[in-house]
Amino acid sequence: MKVLLEHALVEPGVEPGVLVGIEDGWIESVRVARPAGAARTLPGLTIPGFANCHSHAFHRALRGHTQQERGSFWTWREQMYAVAAELTPDTYFTLARDTYREMRTTGITAVGEFHYLHHQPNGTPYDDPNEMGKALLAAADEAGIRIRLLDTCYLAAGFGQPPEGVQVRYSDGDAHAWAERVAAFDDPRVGAAMHSVRAVPREQLKVVVEAAQDGPLHVHLSEQVAENEACVAAHGMTPTQLLAEAGALGPMTTAVHATHLTDDDIELLGGSRTNVCFCPTTERDLADGIGPARRLHDAGATLTLGSDSHAVIDMIEEMRAVEMHERLASQQRGHWSAIELLAAATYDGQRSLGFDDAGQIAVGQRADLICIDLDSIRTRGADPTVETAVFAATSADVVCLTTRAGTSSGTRLERS
Ligand SMILES: [Zn+2]
């Protein structure tokens, strides 16, 4: 299939008239200069598909139901736990499928699903101990989105505290039992995560790190000041220092949120080339705070993005919010360029999920292409640039995508 892209982001920047040859979901040729007789034209600005690197699909059920409550992250968590207590493999599947479908319509071609809802409500495993995880894989297949299922080790309610209430659904008892269950998946789409240093005892962190081998390892980090205080009280060090001690930091690791960090934490994350996944629409929804995105980047960490609780699913808004939040915090503009933010939402995000073959419009890459309408009510009059895509458009301007998602579906060209 030959597709003519009216404008496209290719090396070294946005070009008009790019002819892309796509075979079986892969890019086979990229030619700049407007040729005659192309089979199909994608209007607007075509960019690589988005990687949503941090998702809890079932949190989507809370949208529109939690905004009247006063409180904090911790009071919101009680509402989220009430949903978690009720879910079955069937309702988990339905929620996830519909959430992933929403993601696709907004240009997301890959998702990192941070999955800890493993067992029955009383904590007993299902007949197939991976039934809940398999529901997510099936949901991704049906929605046509590529998934990295980040199976999450979650063993404790806090430092030295056993799981409480609905948390018994999350726990495998210890990290070895978690690793054994995850190994039984025998599916290349499965990766590793630990919920947080709150939820995995210090001496068991290394077990998860070893089980992840050289694949992706994701972990929530310092989203809340209370987590830092409890960690320092229990172990005399910050959560970042605890992860460093366990050998958990590095280029295949993603620290999610990384909101409340010390100078030393920033050096540890940057020096180890760890990814930091910011989820700005969730972080502001939950009153978490504003993390030091630019300082982390300048120290050597790689920014990625996620929609996390799905209060909003719009990767363009996530990109823009990184810059806007820094402006509010610093009273200065111009911390991030549009191309840096787009790299976080595409190329760098795909790599943090272990997808080395996506995130660029280039030969040998997956044909994950999305196009941004440059003639919508929001974008009309702006130049065909990355700045327009990041700072003027919204997910409603993602008008079509071509992708080969999952394992079974062929290449599709769709209009959203
Ligand atoms: Zn999360």
Side-chain angles (χ1 to χ4, degrees):
M1 175 170 68
K2 295 273 189 198
V3 182
L4 178 63
L5 313 177
E6 188 182 17
H7 297 272
L9 177 63
V10 291
E11 192 65 31
V14 173
E15 298 283 350
V18 176
L19 186 68
V20 175
I22 299 173
E23 283 305 325
D24 200 26
W26 297 88
I27 299 174
E28 298 228 311
S29 61
V30 176
R31 195 147 59 89
V32 179
R34 183 176 291 271
R40 252 194 258 240
T41 301
L42 292 192
L45 172 61
T46 300
I47 61 175
F50 295 127
N52 189 355
C53 299
H54 191 65
S55 162
H56 304 278
F58 79 89
H59 293 190
R60 173 67 179 78
L62 294 166
R63 190 186 294 175
H65 296 292
T66 65
Q67 300 299 341
Q68 300 305 315
E69 303 282 333
R70 297 178 75 87
S72 66
F73 168 86
W74 304 102
T75 53
W76 170 87
R77 194 178 73 157
E78 292 306 314
Q79 298 175 295
M80 184 269 281
Y81 276 10
V83 175
E86 297 294 322
L87 288 167
T88 67
D90 283 348
T91 55
Y92 202 41
F93 166 82
T94 304
L95 260 176
R97 180 199 57 198
D98 293 350
T99 304
Y100 298 152
R101 282 179 175 165
E102 182 182 353
M103 288 185 194
R104 270 188 67 99
T105 66
T106 65
I108 293 164
T109 56
V111 60
E113 178 65 33
F114 200 97
H115 160 63
Y116 52 78
L117 193 52
H118 303 303
H119 303 301
Q120 299 187 56
N122 65 3
T124 314
Y126 288 97
D127 288 346
D128 177 349
N130 286 319
E131 187 165 353
M132 292 293 263
K134 287 177 181 172
L136 295 169
L137 293 172
D141 275 344
E142 197 156 305
I145 197 167
R146 191 165 60 255
I147 189 170
R148 181 68 67 201
L149 182 66
L150 300 160
D151 193 298
T152 303
C153 184
Y154 195 127
L155 306 171
F159 298 97
Q161 299 166 20
E164 297 167 357
V166 70
Q167 292 168 345
V168 299
R169 299 194 73 175
Y170 311 163
S171 177
D172 291 295
D174 64 41
H176 290 289
W178 165 83
E180 212 170 291
R181 179 180 55 71
V182 176
F185 261 111
D186 196 23
D187 188 308
R189 294 174 292 172
V190 176
M194 41 195 167
H195 180 273
S196 57
V197 296
R198 277 186 282 126
V200 180
R202 180 178 187 173
E203 70 281 359
Q204 298 190 54
L205 293 169
K206 279 196 171 121
V207 178
V208 182
V209 173
E210 279 163 25
Q213 298 175 328
D214 295 326
L217 172 64
H218 288 222
V219 55
H220 291 130
L221 179 67
S222 294
E223 181 177 6
Q224 291 291 319
V225 172
E227 172 181 300
N228 291 351
E229 292 172 348
C231 188
V232 170
H235 298 300
M237 58 176 80
T238 66
T240 302
Q241 290 170 323
L242 209 55
L243 290 178
E245 176 195 76
L249 302 181
M252 286 311 294
T253 295
T254 295
V256 181
H257 302 303
T259 310
H260 302 285
L261 302 177
T262 65
D263 291 347
D264 181 56
D265 293 340
I266 291 171
E267 287 306 313
L268 283 170
L269 291 163
S272 59
R273 299 285 185 266
T274 298
N275 304 292
V276 288
C277 182
F278 276 47
C279 308
T281 65
T282 290
E283 287 150 9
R284 66 194 186 203
D285 185 63
L286 300 182
D288 288 343
I290 301 172
R294 188 74 219 184
R295 288 185 63 204
L296 282 161
H297 175 273
D298 291 346
T302 301
L303 180 69
T304 65
L305 296 167
S307 66
D308 191 1
S309 69
H310 312 309
V312 173
I313 296 179
D314 182 340
M315 296 304 290
I316 296 176
E317 177 60 26
E318 303 292 347
M319 285 191 279
R320 185 161 50 220
V322 172
E323 167 67 18
M324 295 304 164
H325 291 185
E326 299 234 24
R327 290 183 189 182
L328 289 172
S330 67
Q331 301 174 58
Q332 293 288 319
R333 308 177 84 228
H335 303 268
W336 291 87
S337 69
I339 197 77
E340 287 174 330
L341 294 168
L342 195 65
T346 57
Y347 180 88
D348 291 329
Q350 299 280 2
R351 268 147 192 75
S352 78
L353 296 177
F355 300 128
D356 292 345
D357 50 13
Q360 286 176 298
I361 301 176
V363 173
Q365 291 274 293
R366 290 174 185 272
D368 280 3
L369 307 178
I370 63 176
C371 36
I372 310 282
D373 188 352
L374 295 175
D375 194 32
S376 77
I377 199 81
R378 287 164 293 276
T379 56
R380 193 171 301 162
D383 292 329
T385 60
V386 175
E387 285 71 25
T388 296
V390 174
F391 289 108
T394 75
S395 65
D397 298 313
V398 176
V399 287
C400 59
L401 77 166
T402 168
T403 182
R404 178 183 177 159
T407 53
S408 54
S409 54
T411 304
R412 286 183 284 192
L413 182 63
E414 298 177 359
R415 292 199 74 82
S416 327

